[in-house]
Amino acid sequence: MLIAGNWKMYKGQAETAEFCIELKRSLADVEAVDVAVCPPFPSLAVGVQILAGTDIAVAAQNVHWEEEGAFTGEVSAPMLRELGVYGAIVGHSERRQLFGETDEGVGRRTRAALDAGLSVIACVGETEEERERRETEDVLRRQLSVLEAEDNLVIAYEPVWAIGTGKTATPEIAEEAHEFIKGLLDVPVLYGGSVKPENAEELLSLPAVDGALVGGASLDVESFASICLSASRS
Ligand code: 13P
């Protein structure tokens, strides 16, 4: 079971330090769950430093496929490795929708990160319109076609209509999508989309749900720790 907190564009170094010190305390006795936080790039180093020696990992929110070069605004896998970062999120729907990332690019980013020794949380998921048009399986199949099952690869199923909307997928929808994904790629699958302390237990108890990628509720130590606790019980 993995619980990862995707902080998106929240928390600079000072807030990250405060959060990590508190999280370390809150999770000191929590067992049987892997936990990762994914701060913005400038806050990664302080996270790594404070969480060193704990089981809480620090991951980035994206990674480029080249090792270095003229790619303004991008960060490479070796740079993240040098910082002591354990992995990266790739292909988040916000990257796809707001910054034009493609399936092909997601495939290249994932490949490079895995080759460099990073773990990857690759995100997939359909929009509301795609679900209404009954295209969910086609979309997932297309998004997953650029990926191969590997030890350090985890998929996050994040239906776009459930992200930041408070609309969580029903257990039936989540379970069905997770089973479909696992049928195509034999790797752990996290659920993402309005996961909160109030719904975590139910979602995490589903047989095909191997953890959660948490956005908004991961920004508050108490609520994030409570989700981690639910995971350790399921
Ligand atoms: P919310 O938990 O805020 O809906 O965000 C989900 C998400 O995008 C995690 O990557």
Side-chain angles (χ1 to χ4, degrees):
M1 192 67 75
L2 167 67
I3 304 297
N6 174 12
W7 293 1
K8 309 193 178 182
M9 202 169 72
Y10 291 98
K11 296 192 194 294
Q13 290 193 78
E15 272 188 75
T16 298
E18 210 179 304
F19 183 101
C20 291
I21 290 168
E22 196 49 45
L23 186 66
K24 205 156 100 167
R25 254 191 238 130
S26 309
L27 297 185
D29 301 322
V30 178
E31 287 178 349
V33 55
D34 294 321
V35 176
V37 291
C38 311
F41 288 122
S43 303
L44 287 170
V46 69
V48 167
Q49 202 185 330
I50 292 173
L51 297 173
T54 73
D55 290 335
I56 307 169
V58 177
Q61 296 174 19
N62 204 357
V63 56
H64 195 259
W65 54 82
E66 292 291 346
E67 291 189 2
E68 58 182 10
F71 300 100
T72 303
E74 294 286 334
V75 172
S76 76
M79 292 171 187
L80 294 174
R81 287 278 290 169
E82 190 182 345
L83 269 184
V85 162
Y86 112 106
I89 297 172
V90 169
H92 191 279
S93 63
E94 284 149 19
R95 298 299 319 167
R96 295 175 189 260
Q97 293 200 314
L98 304 173
F99 303 100
E101 288 196 15
T102 61
D103 293 325
E104 193 221 345
V106 170
R108 293 175 78 181
R109 287 174 195 269
T110 301
R111 183 71 270 144
L114 291 169
D115 287 348
L118 291 172
S119 289
V120 171
I121 300 174
C123 304
V124 298
E126 79 288 359
T127 63
E128 190 152 33
E129 295 74 45
E130 288 163 343
R131 174 158 286 273
E132 278 165 7
R133 291 200 298 264
R134 299 181 184 282
E135 291 169 4
T136 299
E137 294 194 349
D138 293 341
V139 170
L140 295 178
R141 200 177 288 114
R142 193 197 71 225
Q143 292 175 334
L144 292 166
S145 67
V146 296
L147 305 171
E148 284 167 41
E150 277 180 60
D151 279 353
N152 294 332
L153 176 66
V154 170
I155 300 296
Y157 170 61
E158 299 207 310
V160 179
W161 47 270
I163 295 179
T165 57
K167 268 202 229 171
T168 318
T170 61
E172 293 72 29
I173 289 179
E175 184 67 11
E176 193 184 1
H178 281 229
E179 274 175 8
F180 180 75
I181 292 167
K182 283 166 183 261
L184 295 172
L185 217 57
D186 186 17
V187 296
V189 183
L190 313 181
Y191 169 78
S194 299
V195 175
K196 321 181 250 283
E198 303 84 66
N199 59 24
E201 199 129 358
E202 184 177 34
L203 287 160
L204 294 170
S205 67
L206 297 169
V209 172
D210 303 305
L213 182 56
V214 187
S218 74
L219 295 171
D220 175 75
V221 183
E222 219 176 293
S223 77
F224 186 60
S226 148
I227 294 168
C228 296
L229 203 65
S230 298
S232 79
R233 285 195 294 252
S234 33

